[in-house]
Amino acid sequence: MLSRQILQCPRLGYCASTSQAVFHTNVQNNSLPRVKPLEEEMPAKSFRKTVRSPSDILDLTSSSKKKNIDIIVTDTHLSQWYKMEPKSLASDYLQLCKSKLSMFVASTAACGVLMAPVPVALAPLAACTAGTFLLSSAANACNQLLEAPYDAQMRRTQGRVLVVHRFSPLHAFTFAGVTGMTGISLLAYFGNPLTAALGALNWFIYAGVYTPMKRAHIGCTWAGAVVGAIPPLMGYSAATGYLDPASFCLAAILFSWQFPHFNGLSWNLRGDYSRAGYRVMCVTNERLCRITSIRHSLALLGLCSIAAPLTGLTTMTFAIDSLPVNAYLVYLSYKFYKAPDAKNSRKLFFYSLLHLPLCMLLMGISNYGRNDDEKISISDKMQNAVDKITKYIK
Amino acid sequence: MSYSQSNTNVRMDRRFDWVGPPDSVSKIRKIMLRRVDNESELEKQYRIAREELNQWNSDFWANHNTLFDTQKIHYVEKRKKELGPLEHVSANDLSDFYRDFLNERHSALMSYNKEWYTRNLALIWPALKVNIVRFMRLLKR
């Protein structure tokens, strides 16, 4: 996918995003409709009053001579001080591991297991789902550990457990270590070493490559898309023990899906992202942001309807019934490309959340390779499809 | 916890870890870690290092956020003058501002990021030692 983009867009290279060759937004901006910015983006009128009142300053002078066990704090903010302890350990742990996201990732790994051309065995399926969930939790805990001050700056993330100091960094680090090691061992024991290696690699890429890169370079979104593409590979290899073109097709579908998803999400938060120092596409190169959404939506169309049956991932049924699902995604990406505003980006993001489960469901029911009588050659498959369509038309 | 409702300085129990409200400019919360009477040098250094790291974070972000807000105001005023009375500042103009601001602050943010990572991860090992010391103390009792 990446090489296709580099060929199609000779201006895009991995040079610093300040280079004029990548931008040329002076020309493009005039063709965009003039959209009003969001209310919260415009500077507030009463900005001038940022003088900090003396009551904000902590007074510690009186405790130097006396031996006492108390700290002095002014009363005005007393009710806002609270003890550094988790309110409810379970719910705080779930927040630390970003449980909804981890469950979504675990479901993509389960899809990988189910799409494998072998009979479904319960042990690899359960172990893979649990192992991926645990590894994703570990990666997310590492991410939150490294990003606590940045999360404090953005409205979306300012309530996270490490921002409000519910536990110490050591606690979060231990949590990450324990869940990560448990995940890797589950995958190695019930799956196979390849799956465990992929899991460990994914943890490393998310916590060690994607998280720092978010601040350094616009290519972070591509690294993040790779992180999203590896769980189906993990599932597939847990079931079969190897990786073949069908598994890579599945991974590519997930890779391409990340772009409309992330671009739709991040567009509305550009102000917050810029202030917090994230070098994401929607801030540093908004034309690229819109273009990649539509390019990858078109790529999804090609992947689902051409590559999936060709590599033997699914039957022709999926190629046909995924067409309307992907076509609507292309349509929303196109609208976002033409008129990038709050409404279109939100629609794109929410539809992407529906699009992936729908695709995975359709893929699951059009699974190919498990039964021997399905194994016919590609030209025969195409002939059968053409016959079916002509019969339907008649 | 002993406190009064009056409008004077109040005392907070030093035996617990406290977290304060987010600072209005830097958005970072102030922390105060617990101290025991016979705390060892190791514990004291760890506590001071962690509180200092938090304070340093707060100072950096206070500076950065004020820069962002003032530059945004100047930019919006400049664009308003250029556009004239009839048009309004569009989201695309703000996009230009966001991009330019990030590029300007790139090196400052990169050095902050590097220092934050090294200091944060460097505190993990002392934290482990302190926890072991405290655990031993608990066992002795």
Side-chain angles (χ1 to χ4, degrees):
Chain A
M1 287 303 123
L2 202 50
S3 57
R4 260 172 69 172
Q5 286 190 41
I6 292 177
L7 287 172
Q8 285 170 14
C9 180
R11 299 171 295 248
L12 176 63
Y14 284 113
C15 45
S17 26
T18 49
S19 107
Q20 277 304 310
V22 181
F23 278 137
H24 57 76
T25 47
N26 296 333
V27 176
Q28 300 307 320
N29 264 344
N30 296 335
S31 61
L32 285 175
R34 297 188 69 81
V35 177
K36 226 177 180 264
L38 299 170
E39 271 310 309
E40 54 251 10
E41 281 183 309
M42 295 306 285
K45 287 193 172 54
S46 59
F47 173 71
R48 308 283 171 202
K49 303 188 212 129
T50 48
V51 178
R52 297 176 68 173
S53 59
S55 62
D56 284 353
I57 300 167
L58 193 66
D59 177 11
L60 285 176
T61 51
S62 55
S63 60
S64 55
K65 295 247 170 67
K66 301 185 279 185
K67 177 183 175 340
N68 59 10
I69 57 166
D70 298 334
I71 312 171
I72 314 285
V73 155
T74 53
D75 187 34
T76 45
H77 291 296
L78 184 64
S79 53
Q80 294 172 306
W81 284 78
Y82 53 87
K83 290 190 201 156
M84 203 187 277
E85 61 190 5
K87 276 208 196 106
S88 134
L89 203 62
S91 71
D92 281 341
Y93 276 159
L94 284 178
Q95 216 201 74
L96 184 61
C97 71
K98 291 193 211 166
S99 54
K100 288 194 210 117
L101 175 64
S102 295
M103 281 199 276
F104 202 53
V105 169
S107 71
T108 58
C111 177
V113 177
L114 293 171
M115 292 304 291
V118 292
V120 179
L122 191 60
L125 180 62
C128 193
T129 316
T132 315
F133 180 82
L134 286 171
L135 270 170
S136 170
S137 313
N140 285 320
C142 286
N143 172 277
Q144 289 195 25
L145 188 61
L146 288 173
E147 296 209 318
Y150 299 97
D151 285 340
Q153 306 302 319
M154 294 184 51
R155 238 163 316 159
R156 186 173 72 102
T157 53
Q158 64 192 6
R160 284 196 175 155
V161 282
L162 281 174
V163 175
V164 299
H165 294 274
R166 287 244 185 278
F167 348 95
S168 65
L170 178 67
H171 194 152
F173 185 77
T174 324
F175 177 82
V178 167
T179 45
M181 289 300 147
T182 319
I184 293 181
S185 11
L186 258 180
L187 288 175
Y189 186 70
F190 289 102
N192 53 61
L194 176 61
T195 316
L198 281 172
L201 178 71
N202 212 17
W203 182 10
F204 172 70
I205 296 183
Y206 188 74
V209 176
Y210 170 65
T211 304
M213 215 171 162
K214 279 206 280 198
R215 245 161 295 294
H217 196 280
I218 200 176
C220 58
T221 316
W222 278 264
V226 169
V227 170
I230 290 184
L233 288 178
M234 284 163 64
Y236 200 94
S237 61
T240 59
Y242 58 80
L243 293 174
D244 61 3
S247 62
F248 287 116
C249 176
L250 184 58
I253 290 177
L254 259 111
F255 180 86
S256 286
W257 176 81
Q258 306 288 334
F259 289 90
H261 173 74
F262 183 69
N263 290 340
L265 169 68
S266 57
W267 186 266
N268 282 330
L269 307 170
R270 281 175 306 152
D272 268 356
Y273 274 128
S274 168
R275 191 165 54 83
Y278 287 96
R279 298 191 76 85
V280 288
M281 273 197 275
C282 63
V283 181
T284 49
N285 190 344
E286 42 136 350
R287 184 177 177 272
L288 188 63
C289 178
R290 293 177 294 125
I291 280 247
T292 46
S293 306
I294 195 163
R295 266 188 206 152
H296 283 273
S297 308
L298 287 169
L300 271 173
L301 203 60
L303 278 168
C304 289
S305 299
I306 303 172
L310 213 64
T311 54
L313 181 68
T314 63
T315 58
M316 285 298 282
T317 325
F318 177 67
I320 297 167
D321 57 25
S322 68
L323 276 175
V325 181
N326 286 326
Y328 190 53
L329 186 71
V330 171
Y331 170 67
L332 286 179
S333 304
Y334 180 70
K335 273 186 48 179
F336 175 66
Y337 171 72
K338 274 287 168 203
D341 58 11
K343 197 171 71 126
N344 289 336
S345 64
R346 243 176 250 146
K347 264 187 174 162
L348 181 62
F349 170 65
F350 283 118
Y351 181 67
S352 74
L353 287 178
L354 173 66
H355 169 273
L356 189 66
L358 201 55
C359 264
M360 294 202 298
L361 184 68
L362 290 173
M363 260 195 268
I365 58 183
S366 320
N367 173 283
Y368 171 80
R370 208 165 277 147
N371 304 323
D372 277 325
D373 47 83
E374 280 175 341
K375 289 191 168 70
I376 46 180
S377 74
I378 294 171
S379 49
D380 283 349
K381 271 195 276 191
M382 306 271 311
Q383 191 58 40
N384 288 347
V386 166
D387 288 340
K388 269 197 204 140
I389 293 173
T390 45
K391 213 166 52 178
Y392 181 71
I393 292 172
K394 285 194 194 126
Chain B
M1 185 169 79
S2 56
Y3 66 94
S4 65
Q5 293 294 339
S6 72
N7 212 1
T8 55
N9 292 345
V10 295
R11 291 159 186 218
M12 293 175 80
D13 205 328
R14 216 165 86 169
R15 292 172 294 169
F16 301 100
D17 297 321
W18 293 103
V19 182
D23 184 88
S24 54
V25 185
S26 77
K27 312 270 191 298
I28 305 272
R29 291 172 183 260
K30 198 175 179 77
I31 60 171
M32 286 190 172
L33 299 176
R34 66 180 188 262
R35 345 174 183 184
V36 289
D37 290 336
N38 53 346
E39 84 174 340
S40 61
E41 192 54 37
L42 182 72
E43 284 182 285
K44 185 169 172 205
Q45 280 180 355
Y46 167 68
R47 177 175 55 83
I48 291 176
R50 225 175 108 196
E51 287 179 2
E52 223 182 272
L53 180 62
N54 199 45
Q55 185 58 38
W56 170 78
N57 262 329
S58 187
D59 294 336
F60 174 82
W61 285 106
N63 178 40
H64 178 90
N65 289 343
T66 351
L67 266 175
F68 182 82
D69 291 329
T70 43
Q71 284 191 11
K72 193 177 190 177
I73 288 182
H74 288 146
Y75 183 82
V76 167
E77 282 172 2
K78 198 171 67 129
R79 280 298 290 163
K80 274 205 181 108
K81 275 199 210 112
E82 285 172 17
L83 289 173
L86 287 172
E87 302 209 32
H88 60 77
V89 178
S90 76
N92 302 327
D93 300 322
L94 279 182
S95 287
D96 289 336
F97 165 70
Y98 293 144
R99 186 189 65 229
D100 296 336
F101 177 75
L102 257 195
N103 289 335
E104 214 184 313
R105 290 288 291 169
H106 183 76
S107 54
L109 278 171
M110 286 313 296
S111 57
Y112 162 75
N113 196 39
K114 201 159 151 202
E115 198 176 337
W116 155 246
Y117 280 3
T118 44
R119 281 171 78 168
N120 193 28
L121 294 175
L123 271 182
I124 300 268
W125 174 236
L128 192 63
K129 285 195 277 194
V130 163
N131 270 304
I132 291 176
V133 164
R134 284 188 184 156
F135 186 64
M136 291 290 128
R137 202 183 284 147
L138 197 69
L139 283 183
K140 275 191 210 144
R141 284 211 200 131

